Amino acid sequence: MKVSYNWLKDYVSFDQSPEQVAEILTLTGLEVEEIHKVGSDLTGVVVGRVTACDQHPNADRLKLCRVDVGEAEPLQIVCGAPNVDVDQKVLVATIGTELPVSLPDGSPLVIRKSKIRGEVSLGMICAEDELGLGDDHAGIMVLNPEAEVGASASSVVNTNIDFIFEIGLTPNRPDASCHLGVARDLAAVLNKHLKKPFKTLSNPDNAVTDHPDISITIADTDKCHRYVGILVTDVKVGPSPDWLSSRLKSIGLRPINNIVDATNYVLHELGQPLHAFDYNLVSEKKIEVKAFDKERSFITLDEVERKVPAGSLFICDGTKPVAIAGIMGGLNSEINDDTKNVLIESAYFEPVGIRKTSKLLNLQTDSSYRFERGIDPNITYAAAHRCATIIRDIAGGKIQAKYVDVHPVKTEPRKVTLRLKRLNKLLGTSFMINQAVSVLRALEFEVKKSSSDEMICTVPTFRPDVTDEIDLIEEVARIYDYNKIPNPDYIHIPRPEVLPFREQFLTRLREVARSLDFREIYANSLLHENTATAFAQDTDLIKTLNPISKDTAVLRPSLIPGLLKAAGYNFNRGAKSVRFFEIGNTFKKGNPGTWHNGIIEETWMMLGLGGLRREEFWFHKEEPYTIFDLRSAVEVLLGSIHLNKNIVTKKISDHELGLYYENKFIGSIAEVEKKTRDYFDVSAPLFVATLCVSDMLELAKNLPPMVYKPVPKFPGIDFDLALQVSSNIDAGDLEQTIRSVAGSRLTSISTFDVFEGKSLGSGQKSIAFRLKFIDEMKTLTIKDVDSIITKVVRKLSDSYGAKLRS
Amino acid sequence: MKLDTDSIRKSIREFEINSAESLEQFRLKYVSRKGKVAELFSKMGTLAAEERAAAGKVLNELKNEAQSRFDQAKIDLESNLSTERAASDDITLQAPARPVGSHHPLTLTLEEIKRVFYRLGFSIAEGPEIEDDFHNFTSLNFPPEHPARDMQDTFYIHKDEHQIDKDLLLRTHTSPVQIRKMLEQRPPIRSIMPGRVYRNESVTYKSYFLFHQVEALYVDKNVNFAELKETLVMLAEMVFNRKVEYRLRPSFFPFTEPSLEMDIWWEQPGKPGKWLEILGAGMVHPNVLKSVDIDPEVYSGFALGMGVERMASLRYGIDDIRIFYDNDVRFLEQFQ
């Protein structure tokens, strides 16, 4: 919202600079996001007299002028204006002047000594628009012949410099959506009087409901609480005077004509949106405020035909709609050059209805912006009358004394009690009661002290946001300035809460993954439906009802698509390898649900790697990643959270291993299938492990605390076991069997050799394990482990047909 | 008779040893059992009995000197031997690259914020990303017609026909975790709530439809605005690791009153300084406390919230939010 610095001075007198005013407003809660300077003081522009005006020797359209600017020699200036002539008094921008207009590249126009078609030009004779004084570019500005040569431009024309504040208005402050409202906060901080541009809020003697010239009815009183109509007759429509058009232009509005401009002026002055109808185009002298139960087509005054949804509020005359209430008037009744009589509408429309219609039409106007935030229901008449007065002053005409005021829903001011103790306790301040009273009164609250601690405050109706005591406390604090609240002598020494186990666990996982050389990624949790269906049943997916696009319509059922996307992104940008992890939530339908019925929201961890494990180097050959690189990382990770001892790895398919804790599935390690990789444009091999953090967390929480184990006192013994088995036997099964049969003295197994070849015969392979045995009580000898080995070999032979190779 | 120990001692000391060959010659001549020192020992028998003890002492010294000269020369020679080297013995050859792990800059930033709050005695709480209307809006004092409930601002999962409270949506802030925390635990409460949130916004350099927030909640008896202010200043100084120039501006959030936003003065080389918003905060609205059955006449509280992306952007000078989710290794590797 734009607010003019000069305009504010109409309502409160102050000497503060624009920067100071901006700071004050910001600190009351009206954040000034930017300050723009508009206009110029025209330094360097002076009055000159054209002493000669000849044809430019080299250009038909240019004149070669000599202009006396009060210096010893007249200046030679090349001028292209058709109206330049000898003896005119003109405004001349001398060399070095910066004019308040911009070049196409945004830099200001600076006058320099130049040669135009071979002739020296020592300045510029200016048109109105070049001085920021108007839009006229038809010719140069010709001054009154009495203007004194050499005088500064600011002595002969209005230079109107102004500063425009761009205020980011929060939705709780509809009262500040106009200059008077902003001035009210400013006056309160500066402790100055607020000068209002109207005398009374109502004029009951002249208010009628039956008017001979206009009948107004409200059919939908839920949506329209009040409607005031004032007639101004015999006006003359024309351009607005300078003061009005320049005010509107300064806040970015385009002047239209004196009637419309007056309504816009009052909107920005008092915050009451108004509409002016050409009274003669209002058929049957009737205004009715009503909604239709069907969609209607309507042409608004911007000449756009709009489909207005059913239920939207219209202003209708005797035969047809003439405006969309609170949003925009209709083309059929707009003020035009022939308008003689004007009906001014000033109404209170209920915010929710306006907001709905505005959203559905995708049309926000200065008017709807204010109605949907809630305007003052009691300024209706004052604003209409203010507008009528301005119209009378600038467009002639006569204000009809009797006006219509239909007011079916009255808003009574709210009364709220403020306790001083409560205020001081909550703010940590020690205000005296009179300080609070004077702040609130400056903001136009009526305050009655009911005791030494209590104030009964009547809230002005332009402050719909103030409903409770706490709101009054905020009012006092914000006008006082938050930054002046005293620093407390102490704050309570906290007794820290214990960090939840979950937080400690997640931090640990993140730390371990990083130490295993994985990079953390943050992937998108909204996916394209086609992507998501590759990772879960369609019926399990959770979709948003209103996605921005199909690409982000479904909540991720898995973290794997995030890896694939990141891998594809990086491989396509020249990366040779990826090594990523992510911890995040996944979403699926299912019962009973985690937080909400039917929705399973779980935390998972993803570790993925792919591409080259090593690039070609003098030291080693190029080597791709294999699933074993990932498996070893996952094993270390599980070890670091002390879950590795009880986790069993089982084969799910030739490309996927499941991880189970006492038969409960907690995750998997897999090679990503080629067709999935192709979908994400990843050609390199890619491996991914996903672990259910929610489950691991529960398991880890129940583990006994870690206790130190003495290091072995006696040396162990290694035993190499080379087995010949059929090719289809899985090494993992052999290893599991060895572990389960060998007993507690077996401390580790290492698979040190795998081969197949003719010497073994076809369909056979050899796998060699190195078993390490340790006894805590004594030094083991080969004799001690012989019986164990015999047992192991027998079991392997029985279960898998394994033969011991010698 | 007298043994000629002096000349042998001299030659032991002066013998030039500069190669394996000369070392071997030295060994044969003075150290071996057939060498000159051993030869002198063998002549001991020719000495008079009273001379033997003194001569034995001298000979032993000579023997030790030869041995230690030999040992030292051997060590010196071996350490000088590596004059000829293979191409791959060049220790200035480039070392191979190795994979490096890293945390995402959002994690790093969040960890920094967590550390500050842990020092202030805060704990941490989490909640779901799919949330119901009650926790996300109603309990936080959003009136039923508040614009945030629009489909244009919020992603919905489920619209309940009968009860707006039961609508399911992607949480638009982490404040619902405050509600969950207050429903689960009576005051005093000191906790932060980090997490992922969603808004129905298009993707540009400064907006994304998901981002991360961290909020803090403190509810106890006698919590007041002045303490909030003190905490905010502490927080800003600890996060940015310097004294900050700040200002507090009144603002508006449905769930706090008074509400404020905090700006800090931000200067970058070559650019004019400016106020930059870093967080929003306020005293917990009495209606919010009431909605979780905490008596606002007995307890009061403050809450504050900030965007993790915004803090990370400020810390690292990042000017395009999208880069956080591209997961480009060339970006991520800068944070290892």
Side-chain angles (χ1 to χ4, degrees), chain A residues 23-331:
Chain A
E23 180 76 3
I24 291 170
L25 293 178
T26 298
L27 295 182
T28 66
L30 304 175
E31 185 187 3
V32 176
E33 292 165 344
E34 276 174 273
I35 308 176
H36 300 290
K37 186 176 171 187
V38 295
S40 160
D41 58 4
L42 301 180
T43 307
V45 181
V46 296
V47 177
R49 188 174 69 88
V50 183
T51 57
C53 183
D54 305 313
Q55 188 60 44
H56 190 292
N58 307 321
D60 290 348
R61 296 195 173 185
L62 298 179
K63 300 256 173 52
L64 201 54
C65 305
R66 296 181 75 77
V67 188
D68 174 10
V69 293
E71 288 170 17
E73 286 290 313
L75 303 173
Q76 170 166 305
I77 295 174
V78 175
C79 179
N83 66 332
V84 64
D85 211 345
V86 177
D87 260 356
Q88 283 172 337
K89 293 281 175 66
V90 293
L91 285 175
V92 177
T94 54
I95 304 296
T97 303
E98 187 179 312
L99 290 177
V101 285
S102 312
L103 296 171
D105 69 353
S107 62
L109 172 59
V110 178
I111 304 299
R112 302 186 194 288
K113 178 177 174 179
S114 58
K115 259 191 181 174
I116 299 172
R117 295 283 188 105
E119 290 294 337
V120 172
S121 185
L122 296 171
M124 183 166 97
I125 307 177
C126 300
E128 201 180 74
D129 67 334
E130 289 155 346
L131 297 171
L133 298 173
D135 299 326
D136 191 0
H137 192 69
I140 54 162
M141 246 180 115
V142 180
L143 303 172
N144 189 315
E146 268 106 70
E148 189 190 332
V149 167
S152 67
S154 56
S155 68
V156 290
V157 291
N158 270 331
T159 48
N160 56 55
I161 282 199
D162 198 357
F163 297 88
I164 303 305
F165 304 125
E166 186 63 57
I167 293 181
L169 197 62
T170 51
N172 59 327
R173 292 297 307 280
D175 64 294
S177 68
C178 61
H179 283 75
L180 184 67
V182 173
R184 185 181 294 116
D185 272 15
L186 185 60
V189 173
L190 296 175
N191 206 10
K192 291 275 174 68
H193 173 67
L194 181 71
K195 288 172 277 186
K196 293 191 187 179
F198 55 87
K199 287 199 181 72
T200 60
L201 284 174
S202 65
N203 182 359
D205 294 347
N206 286 329
V208 295
T209 42
D210 278 335
H211 192 284
D213 296 329
I214 188 78
S215 124
I216 296 175
T217 53
I218 301 174
D220 194 338
T221 55
D222 283 348
K223 288 184 176 155
C224 178
H225 297 178
R226 189 178 186 187
Y227 198 110
V228 166
I230 295 185
L231 281 165
V232 187
T233 52
D234 292 321
V235 301
K236 192 169 179 317
V237 177
S240 291
D242 268 356
W243 69 266
L244 177 52
S245 57
S246 67
R247 280 248 162 122
L248 295 181
K249 275 191 276 183
S250 72
I251 57 167
L253 296 178
R254 189 170 54 90
I256 294 164
N257 58 50
N258 45 13
I259 310 296
V260 174
D261 292 351
T263 61
N264 283 334
Y265 184 82
V266 174
L267 180 150
H268 289 280
E269 178 177 60
L270 301 180
Q272 168 70 55
L274 301 170
H275 187 64
F277 295 102
D278 182 326
Y279 171 71
N280 296 15
L281 297 177
V282 175
S283 65
E284 299 175 16
K285 302 180 181 178
K286 255 174 81 176
I287 287 290
E288 191 179 7
V289 186
K290 64 178 178 187
F292 296 95
D293 52 15
K294 284 203 182 98
E295 182 183 270
R296 276 196 83 107
S297 188
F298 183 71
I299 303 176
T300 41
L301 47 75
D302 53 1
E303 298 180 32
V304 176
E305 180 168 356
R306 300 176 189 275
K307 299 251 178 279
V308 185
S312 304
L313 200 63
F314 277 101
I315 312 300
C316 303
D317 65 9
T319 57
K320 60 187 184 296
V322 289
I324 307 173
I327 299 177
M328 197 180 269
L331 192 61

Side-chain angles (χ1 to χ4, degrees), chain B residues 314-326:
Chain B
L314 286 177
R315 270 168 69 116
Y316 303 116
I318 292 164
D319 52 11
D320 186 339
I321 188 175
R322 291 169 293 198
I323 199 164
F324 286 119
Y325 317 108
D326 283 343

Side-chain angles (χ1 to χ4, degrees), chain A residues 338-351:
Chain A
D338 301 325
T339 299
K340 287 280 167 280
N341 303 312
V342 174
L343 171 65
I344 301 168
E345 163 199 296
S346 180
Y348 179 87
F349 300 113
E350 189 276 326

